[in-house]
Amino acid sequence: MEKETAKKAKELLKDISDMEAIRDAMREETSHWWAFISPDTKRRDGDGLAFPDSFRKEFSIAVAATIAKMERELNKL
């Protein structure tokens, strides 16, 4: 395996791991509200921006699709 290919594979593996952590957290939090929190959205109450139910569904689909896409990229390497 060439150095650049190995570097790309390492990056993909880390990204897949990060996305799987997001997916796993979503599974554990199904009965709770979700929010996007960043330095610019964090308010005094700490709630951030709440995810509406319809967005949660689309977000979950996007996470699964992204993981599948990255796994396909990794397999091509």
Side-chain angles (χ1 to χ4, degrees):
M1 181 180 287
E2 293 182 17
K3 187 176 181 178
E4 285 302 313
T5 304
K7 182 179 174 184
K8 179 66 176 170
K10 182 180 176 183
E11 291 170 359
L12 279 169
L13 285 169
K14 183 185 181 321
D15 289 348
I16 290 169
S17 177
D18 292 345
M19 293 299 295
E20 288 174 338
I22 292 169
R23 181 191 60 202
D24 294 344
M26 290 183 318
R27 283 187 189 140
E28 293 173 12
E29 299 292 334
T30 56
S31 63
H32 302 288
W33 62 272
W34 299 353
F36 174 79
I37 299 175
S38 73
D40 291 335
T41 63
K42 188 161 177 62
R43 298 175 290 192
R44 282 192 168 156
D45 60 10
D47 287 344
L49 303 172
F51 282 26
D53 286 340
S54 60
F55 181 68
R56 286 174 67 156
K57 180 179 178 183
E58 293 299 321
F59 185 76
S60 299
I61 292 167
V63 168
T66 301
I67 291 170
K69 178 183 173 194
M70 285 192 264
E71 287 174 342
R72 286 191 302 273
E73 287 179 39
L74 184 60
N75 287 333
K76 287 181 183 178
L77 296 178

